[in-house]
Amino acid sequence: MAITAAMVKELRDSTGAGMMDAKKALTETDGNMDEAVDWLRTKGLAKAAKKSGRTAAEGLVAVHVNGGNGVAVEVNSETDFVAKNAEFQEMVGKIAYAAEGVDNVEALLAADLGGKNVADTLTDKIATIGENMSVRRMAKLSGDTVVSYVHNAATNGMGKIGVLVALSGGDEVIGKQIAMHIAAVNPAALSEADMDPAVVEKEKQVQMDIARESGKPEQVIEKMIVGRMKKFVAESTLLNQSFVVNPDLTVEAAAKEAGATITGFVRLEVGEGIVVEKEDFAAEVAKAVQG
């Protein structure tokens, strides 16, 4: 696979690695961005393990809570201009309410929205506004109490990031603080038991490779890995993270002080995980001229 300058730049931006190191990592992994990040980390060349922010898709996440039940829905548009359109926002709000009565996107598209299903409503809106749109995903959460929070709100109940938190005990105040923490820190899971085993195993292998690069004996490496994985789990799970409101406490401890137990959460961010092909301006102009 040909390694482009854009790929090298993307890897450099996401890891802080040097240009030649980034290029070598991509060459060694045949252009696979995730594997290149791991290769750099193994060699001790990545200053950051974050993924690149390839979230160019626009739109809104809407949240709706009714008693102990909450739902979050992501509706995408091509541009942020449309996301700010009152007509689009009204439709997204209605879709979020319709999502309360279904369990998945397929059922949501078939749900009634004032005499017309969601799918047909989207089609009509695409024709009216002149931009492609889609209902990408939805998530539901139930608990004794469910609290919602929207970050970068475009209007009431919808914005770029939507969070739902389920609590047993506690009140709206602690629920809102925890929801804001989730929006900011983006935990991978509630607790260690909820983490994806594949993600944990992959991180363990990366840490093993990093430790072996140091040339230390296997018995020393095993002890190092225990500590590193404990730190990884603490940083990745909501209950074990340092609470942004009071870093001296974990989120779990802060909730306990407020008389609450966190039983679940949902976090949806617009465009999360979507890769959009980018073309440099010169190439775009050249293509237009040739056309």
Side-chain angles (χ1 to χ4, degrees):
M1 179 180 179
I3 307 303
T4 66
M7 293 167 66
V8 174
K9 182 181 184 301
E10 183 178 335
L11 186 58
R12 288 186 68 195
D13 289 345
S14 67
T15 63
M19 182 175 70
M20 296 309 297
D21 291 330
K23 185 174 182 180
K24 182 170 175 57
L26 287 164
T27 302
E28 292 289 330
T29 59
D30 196 29
N32 186 299
M33 198 62 65
D34 288 343
E35 290 181 9
V37 172
D38 290 341
W39 187 92
L40 286 168
R41 293 182 63 202
T42 297
K43 301 299 181 183
L45 299 171
K47 297 173 185 173
K50 63 183 180 179
K51 304 297 182 185
S52 57
R54 300 177 300 187
T55 54
E58 299 295 343
L60 292 168
V61 171
V63 294
H64 171 59
V65 174
N66 183 8
N69 299 298
V71 63
V73 178
E74 178 185 359
V75 182
N76 291 132
S77 60
E78 289 183 48
T79 65
D80 187 50
F81 178 77
V82 167
K84 294 174 181 176
N85 180 296
E87 191 179 341
F88 177 75
Q89 291 173 358
E90 182 182 7
M91 178 189 71
V92 173
K94 289 178 179 178
I95 290 174
Y97 273 84
E100 186 181 357
V102 299
D103 293 321
N104 53 58
V105 171
E106 185 179 1
L108 177 56
L109 291 172
D112 180 69
L113 211 64
K116 188 177 294 185
N117 66 31
V118 171
D120 289 342
T121 300
L122 271 173
T123 300
D124 289 349
K125 201 64 68 178
I126 290 168
T128 302
I129 295 179
E131 191 168 302
N132 192 31
M133 303 168 198
S134 66
V135 178
R136 184 185 176 210
R137 53 183 174 161
M138 62 170 282
K140 303 184 79 170
L141 189 66
S142 298
D144 292 346
T145 301
V146 175
V147 178
S148 66
Y149 170 70
V150 173
H151 186 65
N152 283 345
T155 187
N156 187 40
M158 63 188 79
K160 292 298 183 184
I161 300 174
V163 176
L164 300 170
V165 183
L167 303 172
S168 175
D171 56 23
E172 185 88 11
V173 174
I174 187 64
K176 189 74 72 176
Q177 289 179 342
I178 293 168
M180 291 173 72
H181 170 100
I182 293 166
V185 182
N186 193 13
L190 178 64
S191 66
E192 183 175 6
D194 301 303
M195 290 189 74
D196 183 344
V199 171
V200 176
E201 183 58 31
K202 180 181 178 182
E203 180 64 22
K204 185 176 180 180
Q205 288 304 314
V206 168
Q207 292 297 340
M208 290 282 283
D209 290 341
I210 292 172
R212 284 180 180 135
E213 287 284 329
S214 69
K216 290 182 172 62
E218 282 295 317
Q219 58 267 32
V220 175
I221 288 174
E222 288 178 13
K223 292 179 181 177
M224 289 170 61
I225 296 308
V226 171
R228 290 181 181 183
M229 290 307 296
K230 186 175 181 180
K231 181 182 178 184
F232 172 71
V233 169
E235 292 176 345
S236 303
T237 53
L238 175 61
L239 297 182
N240 295 295
Q241 288 174 340
S242 295
F243 192 30
V244 292
V245 178
N246 181 2
D248 291 333
L249 296 175
T250 62
V251 174
E252 183 176 34
K256 188 175 181 181
E257 277 195 2
T261 300
I262 306 167
T263 58
F265 76 91
V266 163
R267 181 188 187 277
L268 296 187
E269 181 172 353
V270 171
E272 193 171 35
I274 295 177
V275 180
V276 176
E277 292 295 329
K278 294 181 180 178
E279 185 173 22
D280 66 79
F281 184 65
E284 190 177 327
V285 171
K287 183 182 288 186
V289 171
Q290 291 170 2

